Amino acid sequence: MATSLPLSELINVQLNVQPLAPSRRDFGVLNLMTPEAGHVFNDESTLYAEYATATAVEQAFGSHSATAQAARLFFAQTPRPKRLVVSRWVRIKRVLPATQSKLYGGPITATLEKLKALSAGYFSIKVGSALKSYSKINLSTANTHEEIATLITTQTSADKLTLRWDASGQRFIVEADQAGASHTLSLMNSDGQPLAVSSTPSYLGNLLKLDSSDAYSVAGTDAVTLEAQSLTAALSQLEARFNHWYALYVVHPLTDTQIKEAANWILAADKKILGLTTSTPQHLDTGPFNVFKQLADQKNERVVALYDKNNPYAVLSWLARALSVNFAGNNTTITMKFKQLPGVTPHPLTLTEANQCKALGINYYTYFDETAMVAEGTVLGGRFFDEVHSLDWFFDAVQKEVAATLQRSHTKIPLTDAGTHRLLAAVEKVCREGVHNGAFAPGVWRGDPFGHLHSGERLEEGFYVWADTVDRLSSSDREARKAPPIQVALKLAGAIHSADILVNFDR
């Protein structure tokens, strides 16, 4: 073909790749922090694990463990969030024993007869940096895969290696008899090639699938000492690795000092909640030495407390129900008052106890007439939890939506009134989501006036979003390319918790 000019000289087509928008946070993730190791926290690096069923937690920590008992209340609630995170707290110094290196082969495809036909098999294996070679391996007398493993082990045992047959996985596994990180196992060179020629019929590394693409090795570890850590140190360690959780419950009784430390850590964190169950009557006192009174006075609205005389994990059922809200749905926001707590036995309270709880914002689960229900659905200090939860969602959603608007624009958004309106539209989009899910609703604005909104004016949409003209920006803000401040008025939908009914009659 004769040389030609590219068609792009006439028509140039370019693809603008749309960047992914920042993902919104999940405000339904409960973090169950436990000092129990179970079968999960048996190495230095594992800080958390995720679970979808109570059975999975029982298998990981034991059916009689405190972690499993706590998780059962979470999974007994309906509806509830889909995710439960269990995280590690090294409350007491613990020594993790050294572990052995293992080399897991791929599923065997060679028949037993083919393996038995070998009378002079060979393979090599690296133990650490040392190369160990084995030859003249006779498998003709073997009748089972277990016997094959035993015959090969007669040669490898001198180097403290054992070959065993894994019937469930239909594979062979090589194990180092000595524990420690220096006894790693491999049938590969550093370039990823087999130590021996895999095409040779007598090469066992291939026949036993120890150097197949399905094979993998697990390095042994040296003994590790995990020093005891404070609760806040454990939280900070987890937060540095994994921070996609919203509510915290600690599977161990906490002292008043630990409660205050954990509550203050949560308060300083980015939109998180602490759940506590108390059976201590002194925690209902309004005296200055009560830690719950201290937190309420400090306006720590990040603590959900439940007074329950029998079940130390009762607040987990409360949290499971409260965190089940899907903010993307229609009329999905809830109030926690009137809700039931499956697995938790309601107990009678005196009016004095109930009033003490209300004064501090502590929840309780008791009978009203013959119906068991939660009261009052608040955080410490008396603010309703659904307000805190909904506003946490709103702040995050607005932040992510505005960031996505800036990020996903293929051209710059100009620092003009038209550019500002694009940001206003992003904020209004989230406001409408809040109206859709029931967090916000039309009503009279009683806050301070701003923009064109006056106090006492009705918010017909349930919200009002405003930004001043860029012409009033300071020179420094304009040079820093900073948009005018965006102000938002929100009318919370609230919820009906009580009613007075006046009956008039006439004879």
Side-chain angles (χ1 to χ4, degrees), residues 354-401:
N355 287 335
Q356 286 178 309
C357 287
K358 289 180 185 179
L360 294 178
I362 297 175
N363 299 273
Y364 52 94
Y365 186 51
T366 190
Y367 287 102
F368 288 80
D369 197 2
E370 296 181 353
T371 303
M373 64 180 68
V374 168
E376 292 287 323
T378 58
V379 295
L380 281 185
R383 186 179 178 186
F384 292 108
F385 173 81
D386 56 286
E387 293 183 2
V388 177
H389 196 203
S390 295
L391 290 175
D392 282 348
W393 161 81
F394 177 76
F395 294 154
D396 177 78
V398 164
Q399 184 183 54
K400 301 296 173 55
E401 201 66 37

mmCIF file of all heavy atoms in Angstrom, residues 354-401:
data_model
loop_
_atom_site.group_PDB
_atom_site.id
_atom_site.type_symbol
_atom_site.label_atom_id
_atom_site.label_comp_id
_atom_site.label_asym_id
_atom_site.label_seq_id
_atom_site.Cartn_x
_atom_site.Cartn_y
_atom_site.Cartn_z
ATOM 1 N N ALA A 354 -36.126 5.625 84.967
ATOM 2 C CA ALA A 354 -36.381 6.095 83.608
ATOM 3 C C ALA A 354 -36.062 7.582 83.477
ATOM 4 O O ALA A 354 -35.453 8.020 82.491
ATOM 5 C CB ALA A 354 -37.828 5.826 83.217
ATOM 6 N N ASN A 355 -36.449 8.369 84.460
ATOM 7 C CA ASN A 355 -36.179 9.810 84.420
ATOM 8 C C ASN A 355 -34.685 10.099 84.546
ATOM 9 O O ASN A 355 -34.175 11.054 83.950
ATOM 10 C CB ASN A 355 -36.955 10.525 85.514
ATOM 11 C CG ASN A 355 -38.446 10.611 85.200
ATOM 12 O OD1 ASN A 355 -38.846 10.573 84.032
ATOM 13 N ND2 ASN A 355 -39.268 10.718 86.231
ATOM 14 N N GLN A 356 -33.978 9.275 85.325
ATOM 15 C CA GLN A 356 -32.523 9.439 85.435
ATOM 16 C C GLN A 356 -31.862 9.174 84.077
ATOM 17 O O GLN A 356 -30.941 9.890 83.678
ATOM 18 C CB GLN A 356 -31.963 8.491 86.495
ATOM 19 C CG GLN A 356 -32.253 8.901 87.927
ATOM 20 C CD GLN A 356 -31.709 7.876 88.923
ATOM 21 O OE1 GLN A 356 -31.972 6.676 88.812
ATOM 22 N NE2 GLN A 356 -30.964 8.351 89.898
ATOM 23 N N CYS A 357 -32.323 8.139 83.406
ATOM 24 C CA CYS A 357 -31.785 7.823 82.082
ATOM 25 C C CYS A 357 -32.047 8.974 81.113
ATOM 26 O O CYS A 357 -31.149 9.408 80.375
ATOM 27 C CB CYS A 357 -32.410 6.540 81.542
ATOM 28 S SG CYS A 357 -31.840 5.011 82.331
ATOM 29 N N LYS A 358 -33.278 9.484 81.105
ATOM 30 C CA LYS A 358 -33.626 10.584 80.202
ATOM 31 C C LYS A 358 -32.763 11.811 80.466
ATOM 32 O O LYS A 358 -32.360 12.519 79.545
ATOM 33 C CB LYS A 358 -35.096 10.950 80.362
ATOM 34 C CG LYS A 358 -36.070 9.929 79.815
ATOM 35 C CD LYS A 358 -37.498 10.405 80.030
ATOM 36 C CE LYS A 358 -38.521 9.369 79.600
ATOM 37 N NZ LYS A 358 -39.914 9.832 79.827
ATOM 38 N N ALA A 359 -32.499 12.084 81.733
ATOM 39 C CA ALA A 359 -31.734 13.282 82.095
ATOM 40 C C ALA A 359 -30.334 13.256 81.496
ATOM 41 O O ALA A 359 -29.765 14.310 81.160
ATOM 42 C CB ALA A 359 -31.663 13.420 83.607
ATOM 43 N N LEU A 360 -29.765 12.055 81.349
ATOM 44 C CA LEU A 360 -28.402 11.933 80.826
ATOM 45 C C LEU A 360 -28.369 11.544 79.352
ATOM 46 O O LEU A 360 -27.309 11.580 78.727
ATOM 47 C CB LEU A 360 -27.620 10.897 81.643
ATOM 48 C CG LEU A 360 -27.351 11.255 83.109
ATOM 49 C CD1 LEU A 360 -26.623 10.116 83.804
ATOM 50 C CD2 LEU A 360 -26.529 12.535 83.199
ATOM 51 N N GLY A 361 -29.519 11.161 78.812
ATOM 52 C CA GLY A 361 -29.531 10.696 77.421
ATOM 53 C C GLY A 361 -29.170 9.232 77.287
ATOM 54 O O GLY A 361 -28.734 8.786 76.225
ATOM 55 N N ILE A 362 -29.335 8.456 78.372
ATOM 56 C CA ILE A 362 -29.064 7.014 78.344
ATOM 57 C C ILE A 362 -30.335 6.284 77.903
ATOM 58 O O ILE A 362 -31.428 6.562 78.398
ATOM 59 C CB ILE A 362 -28.602 6.518 79.727
ATOM 60 C CG1 ILE A 362 -27.278 7.185 80.112
ATOM 61 C CG2 ILE A 362 -28.454 5.007 79.744
ATOM 62 C CD1 ILE A 362 -26.797 6.848 81.511
ATOM 63 N N ASN A 363 -30.197 5.354 76.976
ATOM 64 C CA ASN A 363 -31.339 4.586 76.487
ATOM 65 C C ASN A 363 -31.678 3.449 77.436
ATOM 66 O O ASN A 363 -30.836 2.999 78.226
ATOM 67 C CB ASN A 363 -31.026 4.012 75.102
ATOM 68 C CG ASN A 363 -30.750 5.092 74.079
ATOM 69 O OD1 ASN A 363 -31.658 5.606 73.454
ATOM 70 N ND2 ASN A 363 -29.478 5.448 73.917
ATOM 71 N N TYR A 364 -32.894 2.946 77.346
ATOM 72 C CA TYR A 364 -33.294 1.766 78.112
ATOM 73 C C TYR A 364 -34.323 0.988 77.312
ATOM 74 O O TYR A 364 -34.948 1.509 76.386
ATOM 75 C CB TYR A 364 -33.855 2.163 79.488
ATOM 76 C CG TYR A 364 -34.941 3.207 79.456
ATOM 77 C CD1 TYR A 364 -36.290 2.845 79.434
ATOM 78 C CD2 TYR A 364 -34.623 4.565 79.470
ATOM 79 C CE1 TYR A 364 -37.290 3.817 79.414
ATOM 80 C CE2 TYR A 364 -35.610 5.535 79.448
ATOM 81 C CZ TYR A 364 -36.942 5.157 79.417
ATOM 82 O OH TYR A 364 -37.933 6.107 79.392
ATOM 83 N N TYR A 365 -34.472 -0.281 77.642
ATOM 84 C CA TYR A 365 -35.379 -1.186 76.925
ATOM 85 C C TYR A 365 -36.315 -1.804 77.950
ATOM 86 O O TYR A 365 -35.898 -2.610 78.785
ATOM 87 C CB TYR A 365 -34.564 -2.261 76.216
ATOM 88 C CG TYR A 365 -35.367 -3.184 75.319
ATOM 89 C CD1 TYR A 365 -36.246 -2.681 74.364
ATOM 90 C CD2 TYR A 365 -35.217 -4.562 75.404
ATOM 91 C CE1 TYR A 365 -36.954 -3.519 73.520
ATOM 92 C CE2 TYR A 365 -35.914 -5.419 74.566
ATOM 93 C CZ TYR A 365 -36.789 -4.893 73.628
ATOM 94 O OH TYR A 365 -37.491 -5.736 72.800
ATOM 95 N N THR A 366 -37.570 -1.377 77.906
ATOM 96 C CA THR A 366 -38.497 -1.801 78.944
ATOM 97 C C THR A 366 -39.906 -1.907 78.366
ATOM 98 O O THR A 366 -40.128 -1.689 77.175
ATOM 99 C CB THR A 366 -38.462 -0.803 80.117
ATOM 100 O OG1 THR A 366 -39.196 -1.347 81.219
ATOM 101 C CG2 THR A 366 -39.060 0.533 79.715
ATOM 102 N N TYR A 367 -40.827 -2.261 79.237
ATOM 103 C CA TYR A 367 -42.230 -2.394 78.818
ATOM 104 C C TYR A 367 -42.964 -1.063 79.000
ATOM 105 O O TYR A 367 -42.839 -0.400 80.028
ATOM 106 C CB TYR A 367 -42.940 -3.458 79.658
ATOM 107 C CG TYR A 367 -42.518 -4.864 79.321
ATOM 108 C CD1 TYR A 367 -41.630 -5.559 80.132
ATOM 109 C CD2 TYR A 367 -43.022 -5.513 78.187
ATOM 110 C CE1 TYR A 367 -41.248 -6.863 79.834
ATOM 111 C CE2 TYR A 367 -42.644 -6.810 77.881
ATOM 112 C CZ TYR A 367 -41.756 -7.478 78.705
ATOM 113 O OH TYR A 367 -41.374 -8.759 78.396
ATOM 114 N N PHE A 368 -43.722 -0.696 77.974
ATOM 115 C CA PHE A 368 -44.714 0.361 78.082
ATOM 116 C C PHE A 368 -46.062 -0.331 77.948
ATOM 117 O O PHE A 368 -46.388 -0.841 76.867
ATOM 118 C CB PHE A 368 -44.519 1.415 76.987
ATOM 119 C CG PHE A 368 -43.317 2.285 77.205
ATOM 120 C CD1 PHE A 368 -42.045 1.835 76.874
ATOM 121 C CD2 PHE A 368 -43.443 3.552 77.754
ATOM 122 C CE1 PHE A 368 -40.930 2.629 77.073
ATOM 123 C CE2 PHE A 368 -42.338 4.354 77.956
ATOM 124 C CZ PHE A 368 -41.071 3.892 77.621
ATOM 125 N N ASP A 369 -46.805 -0.377 79.053
ATOM 126 C CA ASP A 369 -47.970 -1.250 79.134
ATOM 127 C C ASP A 369 -47.472 -2.683 78.941
ATOM 128 O O ASP A 369 -46.648 -3.151 79.713
ATOM 129 C CB ASP A 369 -49.030 -0.851 78.106
ATOM 130 C CG ASP A 369 -50.394 -1.454 78.444
ATOM 131 O OD1 ASP A 369 -50.503 -2.134 79.489
ATOM 132 O OD2 ASP A 369 -51.336 -1.264 77.666
ATOM 133 N N GLU A 370 -47.886 -3.370 77.871
ATOM 134 C CA GLU A 370 -47.425 -4.740 77.654
ATOM 135 C C GLU A 370 -46.491 -4.856 76.457
ATOM 136 O O GLU A 370 -46.173 -5.963 76.010
ATOM 137 C CB GLU A 370 -48.634 -5.661 77.439
ATOM 138 C CG GLU A 370 -49.548 -5.763 78.665
ATOM 139 C CD GLU A 370 -50.724 -6.703 78.429
ATOM 140 O OE1 GLU A 370 -50.878 -7.164 77.268
ATOM 141 O OE2 GLU A 370 -51.451 -6.975 79.383
ATOM 142 N N THR A 371 -46.025 -3.731 75.931
ATOM 143 C CA THR A 371 -45.182 -3.734 74.739
ATOM 144 C C THR A 371 -43.763 -3.326 75.101
ATOM 145 O O THR A 371 -43.538 -2.276 75.712
ATOM 146 C CB THR A 371 -45.743 -2.770 73.679
ATOM 147 O OG1 THR A 371 -47.086 -3.146 73.371
ATOM 148 C CG2 THR A 371 -44.901 -2.801 72.422
ATOM 149 N N ALA A 372 -42.799 -4.161 74.686
ATOM 150 C CA ALA A 372 -41.391 -3.838 74.915
ATOM 151 C C ALA A 372 -40.901 -2.904 73.822
ATOM 152 O O ALA A 372 -41.187 -3.106 72.639
ATOM 153 C CB ALA A 372 -40.557 -5.106 74.928
ATOM 154 N N MET A 373 -40.180 -1.875 74.216
ATOM 155 C CA MET A 373 -39.648 -0.946 73.214
ATOM 156 C C MET A 373 -38.467 -0.177 73.791
ATOM 157 O O MET A 373 -38.270 -0.104 75.005
ATOM 158 C CB MET A 373 -40.722 0.030 72.737
ATOM 159 C CG MET A 373 -41.248 0.963 73.807
ATOM 160 S SD MET A 373 -42.523 2.100 73.181
ATOM 161 C CE MET A 373 -43.867 0.969 72.837
ATOM 162 N N VAL A 374 -37.684 0.409 72.877
ATOM 163 C CA VAL A 374 -36.546 1.242 73.244
ATOM 164 C C VAL A 374 -37.023 2.653 73.540
ATOM 165 O O VAL A 374 -37.928 3.168 72.898
ATOM 166 C CB VAL A 374 -35.515 1.275 72.095
ATOM 167 C CG1 VAL A 374 -34.464 2.365 72.332
ATOM 168 C CG2 VAL A 374 -34.841 -0.076 71.934
ATOM 169 N N ALA A 375 -36.404 3.264 74.518
ATOM 170 C CA ALA A 375 -36.590 4.681 74.777
ATOM 171 C C ALA A 375 -35.211 5.224 75.187
ATOM 172 O O ALA A 375 -34.456 4.537 75.860
ATOM 173 C CB ALA A 375 -37.615 4.904 75.899
ATOM 174 N N GLU A 376 -34.810 6.400 74.789
ATOM 175 C CA GLU A 376 -35.521 7.357 73.969
ATOM 176 C C GLU A 376 -34.893 7.478 72.577
ATOM 177 O O GLU A 376 -35.309 8.320 71.786
ATOM 178 C CB GLU A 376 -35.470 8.736 74.642
ATOM 179 C CG GLU A 376 -36.243 8.861 75.918
ATOM 180 C CD GLU A 376 -37.762 8.886 75.636
ATOM 181 O OE1 GLU A 376 -38.182 9.465 74.622
ATOM 182 O OE2 GLU A 376 -38.489 8.316 76.432
ATOM 183 N N GLY A 377 -33.884 6.661 72.276
ATOM 184 C CA GLY A 377 -33.206 6.757 70.978
ATOM 185 C C GLY A 377 -32.234 7.910 70.898
ATOM 186 O O GLY A 377 -32.131 8.573 69.859
ATOM 187 N N THR A 378 -31.501 8.157 71.982
ATOM 188 C CA THR A 378 -30.631 9.335 72.062
ATOM 189 C C THR A 378 -29.169 8.956 72.241
ATOM 190 O O THR A 378 -28.823 7.818 72.565
ATOM 191 C CB THR A 378 -31.042 10.228 73.240
ATOM 192 O OG1 THR A 378 -30.966 9.451 74.461
ATOM 193 C CG2 THR A 378 -32.458 10.751 73.069
ATOM 194 N N VAL A 379 -28.314 9.949 72.061
ATOM 195 C CA VAL A 379 -26.920 9.856 72.462
ATOM 196 C C VAL A 379 -26.796 10.551 73.815
ATOM 197 O O VAL A 379 -27.734 11.200 74.279
ATOM 198 C CB VAL A 379 -25.992 10.515 71.420
ATOM 199 C CG1 VAL A 379 -26.045 9.767 70.107
ATOM 200 C CG2 VAL A 379 -26.355 11.987 71.212
ATOM 201 N N LEU A 380 -25.642 10.398 74.464
ATOM 202 C CA LEU A 380 -25.445 11.064 75.753
ATOM 203 C C LEU A 380 -25.652 12.568 75.593
ATOM 204 O O LEU A 380 -25.160 13.185 74.639
ATOM 205 C CB LEU A 380 -24.045 10.785 76.291
ATOM 206 C CG LEU A 380 -23.808 9.431 76.949
ATOM 207 C CD1 LEU A 380 -22.408 9.371 77.545
ATOM 208 C CD2 LEU A 380 -24.848 9.142 78.026
ATOM 209 N N GLY A 381 -26.381 13.139 76.523
ATOM 210 C CA GLY A 381 -26.721 14.553 76.458
ATOM 211 C C GLY A 381 -28.141 14.777 75.989
ATOM 212 O O GLY A 381 -28.677 15.867 76.144
ATOM 213 N N GLY A 382 -28.754 13.738 75.375
ATOM 214 C CA GLY A 382 -30.166 13.840 75.015
ATOM 215 C C GLY A 382 -30.464 14.123 73.559
ATOM 216 O O GLY A 382 -31.631 14.119 73.160
ATOM 217 N N ARG A 383 -29.448 14.371 72.745
ATOM 218 C CA ARG A 383 -29.714 14.591 71.326
ATOM 219 C C ARG A 383 -30.111 13.267 70.671
ATOM 220 O O ARG A 383 -29.570 12.213 71.000
ATOM 221 C CB ARG A 383 -28.461 15.154 70.652
ATOM 222 C CG ARG A 383 -28.671 15.560 69.210
ATOM 223 C CD ARG A 383 -27.399 16.134 68.629
ATOM 224 N NE ARG A 383 -27.551 16.481 67.229
ATOM 225 C CZ ARG A 383 -26.538 16.888 66.463
ATOM 226 N NH1 ARG A 383 -25.320 16.998 66.984
ATOM 227 N NH2 ARG A 383 -26.755 17.174 65.187
ATOM 228 N N PHE A 384 -31.044 13.321 69.732
ATOM 229 C CA PHE A 384 -31.513 12.085 69.117
ATOM 230 C C PHE A 384 -30.480 11.542 68.139
ATOM 231 O O PHE A 384 -29.901 12.279 67.340
ATOM 232 C CB PHE A 384 -32.855 12.309 68.419
ATOM 233 C CG PHE A 384 -33.968 12.585 69.390
ATOM 234 C CD1 PHE A 384 -34.518 13.855 69.500
ATOM 235 C CD2 PHE A 384 -34.430 11.582 70.221
ATOM 236 C CE1 PHE A 384 -35.522 14.111 70.418
ATOM 237 C CE2 PHE A 384 -35.438 11.833 71.144
ATOM 238 C CZ PHE A 384 -35.979 13.102 71.246
ATOM 239 N N PHE A 385 -30.276 10.223 68.212
ATOM 240 C CA PHE A 385 -29.243 9.580 67.416
ATOM 241 C C PHE A 385 -29.474 9.744 65.919
ATOM 242 O O PHE A 385 -28.531 9.923 65.154
ATOM 243 C CB PHE A 385 -29.162 8.085 67.751
ATOM 244 C CG PHE A 385 -28.233 7.321 66.845
ATOM 245 C CD1 PHE A 385 -26.869 7.342 67.057
ATOM 246 C CD2 PHE A 385 -28.729 6.609 65.756
ATOM 247 C CE1 PHE A 385 -26.001 6.665 66.208
ATOM 248 C CE2 PHE A 385 -27.871 5.924 64.900
ATOM 249 C CZ PHE A 385 -26.506 5.945 65.133
ATOM 250 N N ASP A 386 -30.736 9.692 65.477
ATOM 251 C CA ASP A 386 -30.990 9.770 64.037
ATOM 252 C C ASP A 386 -30.538 11.104 63.459
ATOM 253 O O ASP A 386 -30.161 11.182 62.290
ATOM 254 C CB ASP A 386 -32.465 9.500 63.723
ATOM 255 C CG ASP A 386 -33.395 10.434 64.461
ATOM 256 O OD1 ASP A 386 -33.579 10.254 65.684
ATOM 257 O OD2 ASP A 386 -33.947 11.343 63.828
ATOM 258 N N GLU A 387 -30.553 12.173 64.280
ATOM 259 C CA GLU A 387 -30.030 13.449 63.814
ATOM 260 C C GLU A 387 -28.524 13.364 63.581
ATOM 261 O O GLU A 387 -28.015 13.810 62.555
ATOM 262 C CB GLU A 387 -30.330 14.551 64.836
ATOM 263 C CG GLU A 387 -31.795 14.888 64.987
ATOM 264 C CD GLU A 387 -32.012 16.035 65.951
ATOM 265 O OE1 GLU A 387 -31.021 16.591 66.475
ATOM 266 O OE2 GLU A 387 -33.179 16.390 66.169
ATOM 267 N N VAL A 388 -27.810 12.790 64.555
ATOM 268 C CA VAL A 388 -26.355 12.654 64.432
ATOM 269 C C VAL A 388 -26.005 11.793 63.227
ATOM 270 O O VAL A 388 -25.141 12.138 62.414
ATOM 271 C CB VAL A 388 -25.768 12.042 65.722
ATOM 272 C CG1 VAL A 388 -24.263 11.818 65.583
ATOM 273 C CG2 VAL A 388 -26.070 12.931 66.924
ATOM 274 N N HIS A 389 -26.690 10.664 63.102
ATOM 275 C CA HIS A 389 -26.427 9.713 62.022
ATOM 276 C C HIS A 389 -26.692 10.349 60.654
ATOM 277 O O HIS A 389 -25.866 10.258 59.731
ATOM 278 C CB HIS A 389 -27.315 8.479 62.232
ATOM 279 C CG HIS A 389 -26.881 7.290 61.445
ATOM 280 N ND1 HIS A 389 -27.733 6.262 61.109
ATOM 281 C CD2 HIS A 389 -25.690 6.949 60.924
ATOM 282 C CE1 HIS A 389 -27.087 5.345 60.437
ATOM 283 N NE2 HIS A 389 -25.835 5.736 60.300
ATOM 284 N N SER A 390 -27.835 11.011 60.511
ATOM 285 C CA SER A 390 -28.196 11.608 59.226
ATOM 286 C C SER A 390 -27.242 12.730 58.836
ATOM 287 O O SER A 390 -26.863 12.857 57.659
ATOM 288 C CB SER A 390 -29.633 12.139 59.274
ATOM 289 O OG SER A 390 -30.560 11.087 59.436
ATOM 290 N N LEU A 391 -26.855 13.562 59.800
ATOM 291 C CA LEU A 391 -25.950 14.664 59.481
ATOM 292 C C LEU A 391 -24.547 14.163 59.168
ATOM 293 O O LEU A 391 -23.844 14.752 58.329
ATOM 294 C CB LEU A 391 -25.929 15.675 60.634
ATOM 295 C CG LEU A 391 -27.221 16.484 60.792
ATOM 296 C CD1 LEU A 391 -27.153 17.367 62.026
ATOM 297 C CD2 LEU A 391 -27.509 17.326 59.542
ATOM 298 N N ASP A 392 -24.120 13.086 59.818
ATOM 299 C CA ASP A 392 -22.833 12.483 59.454
ATOM 300 C C ASP A 392 -22.856 12.048 57.989
ATOM 301 O O ASP A 392 -21.906 12.286 57.239
ATOM 302 C CB ASP A 392 -22.533 11.281 60.348
ATOM 303 C CG ASP A 392 -22.027 11.681 61.721
ATOM 304 O OD1 ASP A 392 -21.696 12.865 61.911
ATOM 305 O OD2 ASP A 392 -21.962 10.810 62.601
ATOM 306 N N TRP A 393 -23.947 11.386 57.607
ATOM 307 C CA TRP A 393 -24.089 10.972 56.214
ATOM 308 C C TRP A 393 -24.080 12.192 55.294
ATOM 309 O O TRP A 393 -23.411 12.195 54.255
ATOM 310 C CB TRP A 393 -25.398 10.189 56.027
ATOM 311 C CG TRP A 393 -25.818 10.135 54.591
ATOM 312 C CD1 TRP A 393 -25.349 9.292 53.628
ATOM 313 C CD2 TRP A 393 -26.756 11.009 53.944
ATOM 314 N NE1 TRP A 393 -25.930 9.586 52.412
ATOM 315 C CE2 TRP A 393 -26.799 10.633 52.574
ATOM 316 C CE3 TRP A 393 -27.556 12.067 54.371
ATOM 317 C CZ2 TRP A 393 -27.623 11.275 51.654
ATOM 318 C CZ3 TRP A 393 -28.367 12.706 53.458
ATOM 319 C CH2 TRP A 393 -28.402 12.312 52.107
ATOM 320 N N PHE A 394 -24.828 13.234 55.661
ATOM 321 C CA PHE A 394 -24.962 14.415 54.804
ATOM 322 C C PHE A 394 -23.618 15.108 54.600
ATOM 323 O O PHE A 394 -23.255 15.451 53.471
ATOM 324 C CB PHE A 394 -25.970 15.389 55.418
ATOM 325 C CG PHE A 394 -26.130 16.655 54.643
ATOM 326 C CD1 PHE A 394 -26.862 16.680 53.469
ATOM 327 C CD2 PHE A 394 -25.525 17.834 55.078
ATOM 328 C CE1 PHE A 394 -26.997 17.860 52.739
ATOM 329 C CE2 PHE A 394 -25.655 19.006 54.363
ATOM 330 C CZ PHE A 394 -26.401 19.020 53.189
ATOM 331 N N PHE A 395 -22.865 15.320 55.679
ATOM 332 C CA PHE A 395 -21.580 16.008 55.562
ATOM 333 C C PHE A 395 -20.642 15.239 54.638
ATOM 334 O O PHE A 395 -19.961 15.819 53.788
ATOM 335 C CB PHE A 395 -20.934 16.176 56.938
ATOM 336 C CG PHE A 395 -21.693 17.095 57.850
ATOM 337 C CD1 PHE A 395 -21.592 16.967 59.232
ATOM 338 C CD2 PHE A 395 -22.514 18.088 57.350
ATOM 339 C CE1 PHE A 395 -22.301 17.804 60.076
ATOM 340 C CE2 PHE A 395 -23.223 18.937 58.189
ATOM 341 C CZ PHE A 395 -23.117 18.793 59.551
ATOM 342 N N ASP A 396 -20.601 13.912 54.809
ATOM 343 C CA ASP A 396 -19.724 13.097 53.959
ATOM 344 C C ASP A 396 -20.189 13.139 52.510
ATOM 345 O O ASP A 396 -19.378 13.272 51.588
ATOM 346 C CB ASP A 396 -19.708 11.655 54.469
ATOM 347 C CG ASP A 396 -18.874 10.740 53.597
ATOM 348 O OD1 ASP A 396 -17.632 10.783 53.719
ATOM 349 O OD2 ASP A 396 -19.458 9.982 52.780
ATOM 350 N N ALA A 397 -21.509 13.016 52.301
ATOM 351 C CA ALA A 397 -22.038 12.993 50.937
ATOM 352 C C ALA A 397 -21.784 14.316 50.222
ATOM 353 O O ALA A 397 -21.431 14.338 49.038
ATOM 354 C CB ALA A 397 -23.532 12.677 50.967
ATOM 355 N N VAL A 398 -21.954 15.438 50.918
ATOM 356 C CA VAL A 398 -21.699 16.746 50.310
ATOM 357 C C VAL A 398 -20.225 16.875 49.942
ATOM 358 O O VAL A 398 -19.871 17.331 48.844
ATOM 359 C CB VAL A 398 -22.128 17.877 51.264
ATOM 360 C CG1 VAL A 398 -21.528 19.218 50.827
ATOM 361 C CG2 VAL A 398 -23.642 17.979 51.311
ATOM 362 N N GLN A 399 -19.368 16.471 50.864
ATOM 363 C CA GLN A 399 -17.931 16.558 50.604
ATOM 364 C C GLN A 399 -17.558 15.756 49.354
ATOM 365 O O GLN A 399 -16.829 16.237 48.478
ATOM 366 C CB GLN A 399 -17.166 16.041 51.826
ATOM 367 C CG GLN A 399 -15.663 16.158 51.714
ATOM 368 C CD GLN A 399 -14.967 15.555 52.926
ATOM 369 O OE1 GLN A 399 -15.201 14.401 53.286
ATOM 370 N NE2 GLN A 399 -14.125 16.339 53.570
ATOM 371 N N LYS A 400 -18.064 14.517 49.263
ATOM 372 C CA LYS A 400 -17.718 13.657 48.133
ATOM 373 C C LYS A 400 -18.358 14.159 46.835
ATOM 374 O O LYS A 400 -17.749 14.070 45.760
ATOM 375 C CB LYS A 400 -18.183 12.230 48.421
ATOM 376 C CG LYS A 400 -17.568 11.619 49.685
ATOM 377 C CD LYS A 400 -16.076 11.453 49.563
ATOM 378 C CE LYS A 400 -15.429 11.001 50.876
ATOM 379 N NZ LYS A 400 -16.003 9.781 51.428
ATOM 380 N N GLU A 401 -19.576 14.697 46.904
ATOM 381 C CA GLU A 401 -20.267 15.145 45.692
ATOM 382 C C GLU A 401 -19.593 16.385 45.116
ATOM 383 O O GLU A 401 -19.425 16.499 43.895
ATOM 384 C CB GLU A 401 -21.735 15.429 46.012
ATOM 385 C CG GLU A 401 -22.642 15.417 44.812
ATOM 386 C CD GLU A 401 -22.755 14.053 44.169
ATOM 387 O OE1 GLU A 401 -22.767 13.038 44.899
ATOM 388 O OE2 GLU A 401 -22.838 14.016 42.920
#
